[in-house]
Amino acid sequence: MHSFYNFVSGPLAWIAFLLFFGGSIFRIVRMLMLVTQKESFIFTYMSWRYSLRSIFHWIVPFATVNWRRQPVLTVVTFAFHICLLAAPLFLLSHVILWDEAFGISWWTLPDTLADVMTIIVILGAVFFLVRRVTRPEVRFVTSASDFVILAIVSAPFVTGFLAYHQWFAYPLMMGLHVLAGDIMLAAIPFTRLSHMLFSPFTRAYMGSEFGKVRHARDW
């Protein structure tokens, strides 16, 4: 088990980081090249004003019509994504690892708060799973890959929660936690998780088209 942990936290972790950064740069550069070569007309009406206006409205809870129409989904979505990013980034044990490896550190969350945020992510994943199964309009556009992505996202938090509380098989849970994190990191540029990379571009495009061309709101 010790050798397994060393592998997933050493060579495999480096591979995951390389895939994440390399894949992210590749996908963004490729998108920009395609736009430049085939749809360069987009740049003629791109606007910082309308792009930022659109992005702002979509990252603020209840600032858009769709957010207001579905209050439960809105609350869960924002809570899920905030905790998904903040919990691993500001978790004390993760920051300590960065400090030991690279000599850099930053502000950390109290362990109790990080624990609560982990539970929020897990419950949020359950909510999205149930929603995909029970809501006809969502089930219609759901494929097997959507369930795989939910599993990839929730696995680091489930295993991390079990490892932190040491309820059973702590060495195994720690190894699985790191492995799940490696898989999630590597999967981001190559799955629907890439929306974290492309959503600002999408919103900028939509905001510019609706605001500058159609003179309408896109929210």
Side-chain angles (χ1 to χ4, degrees):
M1 191 58 64
H2 183 68
S3 59
F4 170 68
Y5 177 81
N6 287 338
F7 173 69
V8 297
S9 61
L12 196 63
W14 280 108
I15 293 172
F17 275 106
L18 288 173
L19 287 173
F20 169 70
F21 287 110
S24 298
I25 293 172
F26 171 77
R27 292 293 306 277
I28 292 174
V29 170
R30 184 170 179 269
M31 177 200 67
L32 294 175
M33 289 179 62
L34 288 174
V35 171
T36 302
Q37 295 171 1
K38 297 183 178 181
E39 299 180 7
S40 58
F41 64 89
I42 289 176
F43 294 111
T44 62
Y45 61 81
M46 289 296 289
S47 162
W48 280 105
R49 174 189 173 187
Y50 294 112
S51 295
L52 294 175
R53 186 181 72 167
S54 177
I55 292 171
F56 172 78
H57 277 87
W58 281 93
I59 63 174
V60 174
F62 303 106
T64 71
V65 173
N66 282 333
W67 288 141
R68 292 193 292 270
R69 286 176 176 173
Q70 305 181 78
V72 175
L73 177 63
T74 298
V75 171
V76 174
T77 298
F78 276 88
F80 176 83
H81 283 87
I82 290 171
C83 295
L84 178 70
L85 295 174
L89 186 60
F90 297 106
L91 185 67
L92 176 61
S93 58
H94 288 180
V95 175
I96 290 175
L97 289 175
W98 279 96
D99 189 26
E100 292 176 346
F102 305 106
I104 57 175
S105 61
W106 51 85
W107 178 78
T108 62
L109 292 168
D111 284 349
T112 302
L113 178 57
D115 211 30
V116 171
M117 296 175 80
T118 299
I119 295 173
I120 290 174
V121 172
I122 295 171
L123 293 179
V126 173
F127 173 85
F128 293 129
L129 174 63
V130 172
R131 185 170 179 267
R132 286 199 171 277
V133 173
T134 59
R135 294 292 295 268
E137 69 275 19
V138 182
R139 187 171 64 245
F140 179 75
V141 296
T142 297
S143 63
S145 63
D146 294 304
F147 298 109
V148 174
I149 290 173
L150 271 177
I152 289 174
V153 170
S154 57
F157 292 87
V158 173
T159 53
F161 184 81
L162 294 174
Y164 172 76
H165 290 280
Q166 301 185 28
W167 286 339
F168 62 91
Y170 171 74
L172 175 62
M173 284 300 111
M174 273 304 301
L176 292 177
H177 172 61
V178 178
L179 175 61
D182 293 343
I183 292 172
M184 179 178 172
L185 195 63
I188 288 174
F190 309 105
T191 66
R192 288 191 184 182
L193 294 175
S194 61
H195 71 268
M196 68 173 287
L197 304 174
F198 295 118
S199 56
F201 297 100
T202 303
R203 290 261 56 91
Y205 167 78
M206 294 290 292
S208 296
E209 179 179 341
F210 275 78
K212 190 175 180 179
V213 179
R214 304 186 185 186
H215 303 290
R217 301 187 304 179
D218 70 320
W219 63 88

